[in-house]
Amino acid sequence: MAKTLYDKIWDAHVVHEADDGTCLLYIDRHLVHEVTSPQAFEGLRLNNRTVRAPDKTIAVPDHNVPTTLDRANGIENPESKIQVDALDKNAKDFGIHYYPVSDVRQGIVHIVGPEQGWTLPGMTVVCGDSHTATHGAFGSLAHGIGTSEVEHVLATQTLIQKKSKNMKVEITGHLRPGVTAKDITMAVIGATGTAGGTGYVIEYCGSAIEDLSMEGRMTVCNMAIEGGARAGLIAPDEKTFAYCMGRPHAPKGAAWEAALTYWKTLKTDEGAHFDKVLTIKGEDIAPLVTWGTSPEDVLPITATVPSPDDYTGGKVEAVRRSLAYMGLTPGQKLSDVAIDTVFIGSCTNGRIEDLREVAAIMKGKKVKDGLRAMIVPGSGLVRAQAEEEGIADILKDAGFEWRMAGCSMCLAMNPDQLSPEERCVSTSNRNFEGRQGRGGRTHLASPAMAAAAAITGRLTDVRELG
Amino acid sequence: MEKFTTLEGVAAPMPLVNIDTDMIIPKQFLKTIKRTGLGKNLFDEMRYDAQGQEIPDFVLNQPAYRDAKILIAGDNFGCGSSREHAPWALADFGIRCVISTSFADIFFNNCFKNGILPIVLPQSEVDKLMDDAARGANAVITVDLENQTISGPDGGTISFDVEPFRKHCLLNGLDDIGLTMQKAASIDAFEAQYKTAAPWI
């Protein structure tokens, strides 16, 4: 029977299947960070259990870490410090791979995994973090899990799962200038809604997806969770193999050849069944921004703020609440909305290509006076590469703060936060109420759109900058 | 894990759609290294003002709902992050059952690991329960997991679906890890053949 890519990866990892279809799935890579793991390690200790496969378990602190240049002096917030110290200790006690804050390879767990070659095609990858979907860009089945499941994977290297349905999202044609991977993924969520993917694993395909670099594909898959899907994935191709080759933990020599032969089979068979299909023309996607407090609240930058009357059902009240929270009025032009802050970073857009995109727009330009503009590279290695390429100098000269690696203002667990009513264009993934700081107002956008806004001080169509 | 058999209690209405995990438990409370004690911060930014004073309008601050055990919620409850702090906070507050038309996938899974029963019902039935819940302290609802029924205050009964394995674990308070470890031989066998088939992993 013809199989989808998801079917193939699933079948290759079933350890046991019960009569009701509940499966025990083998996990190839378990990524761990400091926020969702302490209770899991505590559970192991209480039950005298060990980590079954420490060689497949990789930990890095990212959510709580300061991103200021003086962070080697330690973490000021006592609770954050306890969490990071707990991860240090747990990694050592249980013998798992670890990249401490002091290591240049430290960064956001979803950037470090691929960068170090831990993430490879055809794998199952889990992490106590919903943006684990990022790794699907390699044609691996990757998704977030809760802390009880983190403990389960640590103890057994398996996960109890029921299979999801298959959804295909095809982006045909090619993107127009000024439109990026971030706009693709936001356009999909705008079309499906935040629950449109619930119960599905999405395979993204089509020529506009094939055109994307690995960095762009990671951006697309990263936000699959924002559409409610368990995971998003993209079939591996020559770009994928080229990205993986030579990475520290990628196979070498004969093992590489054997892996490559297998990876080339990782594509959906002709005629395989999808339970749901969404097709979007690449040419129809415009540069997008969010106006509300849900990632589905997406509009082209040329649009105006909607009214609650444009909606039905429970969304009417939700839109009313969003507009009050965001301080926006129906009918207002999005491009007239003045901003206070620009945040560039996160597991969605904290990779080298994102920084190149920003630098290309900022070259010879300045961040508007009075604006707070921050760049937080996704890893220490991204930061180092940007410095080597001269990107860091362009960005610093333009007036951006050039920070150390971490999750930072994407979720504001460290000191990088918005104040009440502070309005931010952010390259991150969630515009929820309070996400970037209590009362803070988030507009999600691509790195290019964030750069354009940094120059003008308002939401701006990057295509107008020429 | 605490068993879930039958639950009788006041249901609180939260008709807002897309209630996300940042609303359920904001990030500043994720810095704990414990599972307990999060109930006081459940829905923190909806429940308290910036000075930490209760916002009287918020449903769980109203006298009728302060001891609610059930939530009736709008579509896509629990969307957003994978933080298990969300069900930990609900359970710590005393909420053991959430009823909605839909739930986000990871939140839904996390509930079952913490003795919380999430129930999916059609819109018309959620609307009916939402109306019942709006009656305040008189809105006592009974959830019977064994028989998969919800009894409303007016004597009507609604049936619901639940996966058999998850029902079994909730009814008996079973720990997943213990169950999986009974299958250690299957995991060993899988790993052995896998080492040959995919040595690069």
Side-chain angles (χ1 to χ4, degrees), chain A residues 222-243:
Chain A
N222 172 275
M223 287 183 74
I225 182 70
E226 258 54 69
R230 173 162 298 171
L233 40 78
I234 295 173
D237 62 10
E238 291 304 323
K239 282 184 196 174
T240 320
F241 309 143
Y243 181 99

Side-chain angles (χ1 to χ4, degrees), chain A residues 49 109 119 130 160 164 183-184 211 293 309 411 436 441 447:
Chain A
R49 288 170 177 152
V109 64
T119 308
S130 56
I160 299 171
S164 303
D183 300 299
I184 292 181
D211 286 349
T293 55
D309 301 338
L411 87 166
Q436 296 193 290
R441 294 166 170 168

Side-chain angles (χ1 to χ4, degrees), chain A residues 407-437:
Chain A
C407 298
S408 181
M409 204 191 271
C410 174
L411 87 166
M413 271 191 82
N414 76 348
D416 307 339
Q417 302 185 7
L418 296 181
S419 307
E421 300 191 5
E422 184 175 348
R423 190 181 295 282
C424 178
V425 175
S426 177
T427 66
S428 55
N429 40 58
R430 290 196 176 125
N431 50 350
F432 295 157
E433 283 182 26
R435 172 81 179 179
Q436 296 193 290

Side-chain angles (χ1 to χ4, degrees), chain A residues 12-16 20 22 24 26 28-29 35-36 38-40 42-43 49 52-53 56 64 77 79-80 82-83 86 120 123 128-130 144-149 151-152 155-158 160-162 194-195 198 225-226 228 230 251 255 258-259 262-263 293-294 296 314-315 317-318 321 411-414 430 432-439, chain B residues 15-23 26-36 38 44-53 55 58 74-76 79-85 88 102-106 109-110 113-114 123 163-166 169 175-181 183-191 193-195 197-201:
Chain A
H13 290 86
V14 174
V15 171
H16 178 271
D20 72 343
T22 303
L24 203 56
Y26 195 77
D28 295 325
R29 293 288 180 263
V35 177
T36 56
Q39 295 86 350
E42 182 196 51
R49 288 170 177 152
R52 182 178 171 104
K56 298 180 168 83
N64 275 285
N77 180 293
E79 290 171 301
S80 293
I82 288 171
Q83 263 190 347
L120 298 168
M123 284 182 163
D129 191 286
S130 56
I145 55 177
T147 298
S148 296
E149 291 176 317
E151 186 177 337
H152 191 278
T156 69
Q157 204 57 27
T158 64
I160 299 171
Q161 288 277 289
K162 269 215 155 171
T194 48
T198 304
I225 182 70
E226 258 54 69
R230 173 162 298 171
Y262 172 61
W263 294 345
T293 55
S294 165
E296 71 190 14
K315 190 74 184 168
E317 188 48 39
R321 185 184 169 94
L411 87 166
M413 271 191 82
N414 76 348
R430 290 196 176 125
F432 295 157
E433 283 182 26
R435 172 81 179 179
Q436 296 193 290
R438 187 175 181 133
Chain B
L16 192 65
V17 299
N18 294 332
I19 291 179
D20 58 65
T21 51
D22 280 79
M23 284 179 177
K27 71 256 167 202
Q28 60 270 34
F29 306 109
L30 309 188
K31 296 183 184 182
T32 177
I33 56 170
K34 297 192 163 62
R35 285 177 157 98
T36 51
L38 290 165
D44 193 83
E45 291 180 5
M46 302 167 96
R47 198 164 144 203
Y48 307 104
D49 64 19
Q51 285 70 48
Q53 300 299 309
I55 298 170
F58 182 67
D75 297 341
N76 199 27
C79 60
S81 93
S82 63
R83 61 188 69 167
E84 201 160 315
H85 308 68
W88 293 338
S102 61
F103 292 89
D105 187 44
I106 304 176
N109 275 323
N110 284 341
K113 315 285 182 193
N114 291 282
Q123 186 74 54
E163 282 177 30
F165 175 71
R166 292 179 144 157
C169 290
D175 163 24
D176 279 352
I177 298 178
L179 288 176
T180 297
M181 285 193 149
K183 301 198 181 83
S186 302
I187 304 173
D188 291 343
F190 181 91
E191 272 184 344
Q193 65 81 24
Y194 204 44
K195 262 193 188 125
W200 62 88
I201 289 170

